[in-house]
Amino acid sequence: MEIKLSDHFTYKKLLRFVLPSVAMMIFTSIYGVVDGLFVSNFVGKSSFAAINLVIPFTMIFGGIGFMFGTGGSALVAKTLGEGEHEKANRYFSMMVWISLILGIATSAVGIAYMRQIAHFLGADAEMLEDCVVYGRLIIGFNTAFMLQNLFQSFLVTAEKPRLGLLATLAAGFTNMLLDALFVAVFDLGVAGAAIATGISQCVGGLLPLLYFLFPNNSLLRLKRTKLELRPILAASFNGVSELVTNITASVVGILYNFQLLRYAWQDGVAAYGVLMYVDFIFVAVFIGYSIGSAPIVSYHYGAGNRAELKNMLRKSVTLMVGAGICMVALAELLAVPLARLFVGYDQMLLDMTVHGFRIFSLSMLFAGFNIFSSSFFTALNNGGVSAALSFLRTFLFKLSAVLILPFFFDLDGIWLSAVAAELLAFAVSLFFILFKRKKYGY
């Protein structure tokens, strides 16, 4: 029996509904990690450092898809809850068409200026060409990447989270197979890794597009419609927290790399790359849960069902806190084997990575609650609070910490900065949850 957005959610029903989204995000993170795994082991740590210099920049453009996906799906789910199905389909279609237009435009800009961007990011002569080649190829597939991010949210809103998981699995296996073929067998280096990722993004982005283009049995249909400024701006404002998260996380990632080049040169950037890849997988649980649960919150908010909002918040906070504790324990246990997968060929780099990861992973105690809190306010169509939480967490707090803490703790200060930022964000998130409880009745 299919679970509906209008249902009352027990723990069992909630976990069943969000599990495909969690699995989808975990698998998306795993196949994203494969590039780094193959490049590090088959091309070398200089090329591995190069792709980690340019990845934060390429992620900025992909964040536009997250913005229209989360903000648009909150608007569409709320509209469905209000019983206006035709309007919901019109809004959904607008989000898809505007994402296609912006995806093509951002690819053109990124390809044209990638060499200048690589210079700005701090690439030296040894890393420059790898940065340019990888960056241009990855950004060339940005339209597909944006669609993939967009549909991760809308497939849940359409009550088809399992279809989203299947699309992600297809994309993931494509990436893994092509990485092995292009990098390990054909020896195409960073170009092979980028092409493999780009093709996999086409699978993840275009399969859902085809599904919605043809008649289907979901809540949503893709149709011809005019682009209306008001709903596009509403979705953009509401989903801006996700774009803020991507942009600020990318900017902070670039700053981390600057600091690491200063304190530990290429080894520091390579170690941070491993931390980021592993962190993507762990944090994917929190992001996947937030994506999967947000349409439920939006639907019941639109329907005026305050009891279900209270139920969702209580259960979600319990699950996020419990998951955070488990994540830290797992990270401490797996620090050595996970680091060895990437940099086991260099003992000094391995030791640096393991030490850094064991400090950095403490941030996961608070990350789940913080990620859900921002998503919760996006689902309530309160983009202002959501954006504020994201901006403080991913930019202001991390930026301040990574600039200040190394003065006192040297390289360890860079690893500790994520922990400090999440702790500060936890306090702010808790304040807003309590402050807004009467307004929304949760």
Side-chain angles (χ1 to χ4, degrees):
M1 184 176 178
E2 287 194 358
I3 300 172
K4 304 294 183 183
L5 294 177
S6 55
D7 289 350
H8 167 69
F9 282 82
T10 61
Y11 277 111
K12 181 179 179 180
K13 185 175 287 188
L14 178 58
L15 289 173
R16 279 180 57 204
F17 188 79
V18 302
L19 186 60
S21 297
V22 172
M24 176 176 66
M25 290 306 302
I26 291 174
F27 204 77
T28 298
S29 300
I30 290 173
Y31 87 70
V33 166
V34 173
D35 273 8
L37 191 63
F38 275 93
V39 169
S40 182
N41 285 283
F42 289 93
V43 188
K45 70 178 181 181
S46 177
S47 296
F48 182 52
I51 68 172
N52 285 303
L53 271 181
V54 79
I55 280 176
F57 173 78
T58 62
M59 292 298 292
I60 292 174
F61 290 138
I64 298 172
F66 274 121
M67 177 181 72
F68 286 118
T70 55
S73 64
L75 178 63
V76 169
K78 177 176 175 288
T79 307
L80 287 170
E82 293 167 345
E84 299 189 64
H85 286 251
E86 191 279 332
K87 183 187 286 187
N89 278 301
R90 197 169 74 246
Y91 289 168
F92 163 64
S93 301
M94 289 180 203
M95 302 307 130
V96 176
W97 302 135
I98 194 67
S99 295
L100 279 168
I101 293 167
L102 292 176
I104 295 168
T106 52
S107 289
V109 173
I111 290 170
Y113 292 99
M114 187 54 63
R115 184 169 296 275
Q116 293 91 324
I117 291 164
H119 276 295
F120 171 76
L121 295 175
D124 60 13
E126 188 178 0
M127 294 187 285
L128 180 60
E129 290 307 316
D130 280 339
C131 284
V132 174
V133 170
Y134 186 85
R136 280 178 172 165
L137 287 168
I138 283 290
I139 209 71
F141 289 98
N142 189 58
T143 303
F145 183 42
M146 283 176 56
L147 288 176
Q148 184 177 15
N149 293 337
L150 179 87
F151 287 125
Q152 283 175 348
S153 295
F154 274 116
L155 282 166
V156 179
T157 305
E159 296 180 341
K160 296 294 179 181
R162 292 181 182 177
L163 183 59
L165 175 59
L166 290 176
T168 301
L169 289 172
F173 284 122
T174 299
N175 190 48
M176 292 176 185
L177 177 63
L178 294 182
D179 261 325
L181 191 64
F182 293 163
V183 180
V185 178
F186 293 156
D187 196 24
L188 296 179
V190 296
I195 294 169
T197 295
I199 293 173
S200 72
Q201 288 168 349
C202 289
V203 173
L206 298 183
L207 285 182
L209 179 65
L210 291 173
Y211 173 79
F212 286 116
L213 276 171
F214 293 99
N216 62 77
N217 62 350
S218 78
L219 289 179
L220 300 177
R221 304 284 190 280
L222 191 56
K223 55 191 291 185
R224 293 178 63 180
T225 184
K226 294 180 180 179
L227 296 180
E228 300 173 32
L229 188 60
R230 182 172 293 180
I232 291 173
L233 289 178
S236 300
F237 180 74
N238 191 37
V240 75
S241 60
E242 274 62 39
L243 181 60
V244 166
T245 297
N246 274 271
I247 293 176
T248 55
S250 297
V251 171
V252 170
I254 291 167
L255 181 60
Y256 266 71
N257 285 331
F258 280 140
Q259 289 284 69
L260 288 161
L261 286 170
R262 177 183 175 189
Y263 283 91
W265 197 230
Q266 282 188 13
D267 280 5
V269 176
Y272 180 63
V274 176
L275 265 61
M276 287 298 95
Y277 282 128
V278 177
D279 187 60
F280 288 159
I281 298 172
F282 281 69
V283 172
V285 174
F286 306 135
I287 297 173
Y289 179 87
S290 298
I291 290 173
S293 61
I296 303 171
V297 174
S298 297
Y299 184 94
H300 288 285
Y301 173 58
N305 189 349
R306 292 189 164 196
E308 194 60 28
L309 288 180
K310 186 180 294 185
N311 173 58
M312 283 295 299
L313 178 62
R314 186 185 301 114
K315 287 181 168 59
S316 296
V317 169
T318 301
L319 289 170
M320 290 297 93
V321 172
I325 295 170
C326 294
M327 291 293 174
V328 173
L330 195 61
E332 297 294 326
L333 183 66
L334 297 177
V336 174
L338 288 174
R340 187 172 285 127
L341 277 175
F342 289 89
V343 293
Y345 53 81
D346 187 319
Q347 187 61 46
M348 185 178 297
L349 179 55
L350 175 64
D351 292 341
M352 178 190 293
T353 304
V354 170
H355 176 73
F357 185 57
R358 283 184 166 153
I359 298 172
F360 187 91
S361 64
L362 296 174
S363 64
M364 296 175 198
L365 277 173
F366 313 102
F369 178 82
N370 296 336
I371 291 169
F372 171 77
S373 297
S374 178
S375 172
F376 184 66
F377 284 107
T378 298
L380 292 172
N381 284 257
N382 191 331
V385 170
S386 181
L389 293 178
S390 293
F391 178 79
L392 291 171
R393 171 179 170 261
T394 60
F395 186 70
L396 186 62
F397 293 154
K398 281 190 177 180
L399 180 71
S400 302
V402 78
L403 288 174
I404 295 169
L405 292 181
F407 283 110
F408 300 98
F409 303 105
D410 294 321
L411 184 60
D412 280 353
I414 299 177
W415 313 135
L416 279 167
S417 61
V419 185
E422 293 291 359
L423 180 58
L424 291 169
F426 176 81
V428 176
S429 298
L430 184 61
F431 167 78
F432 274 110
I433 289 286
L434 295 174
F435 182 69
K436 294 290 185 179
R437 67 188 186 279
K438 290 185 179 179
K439 177 179 179 179
Y440 296 106
Y442 50 67

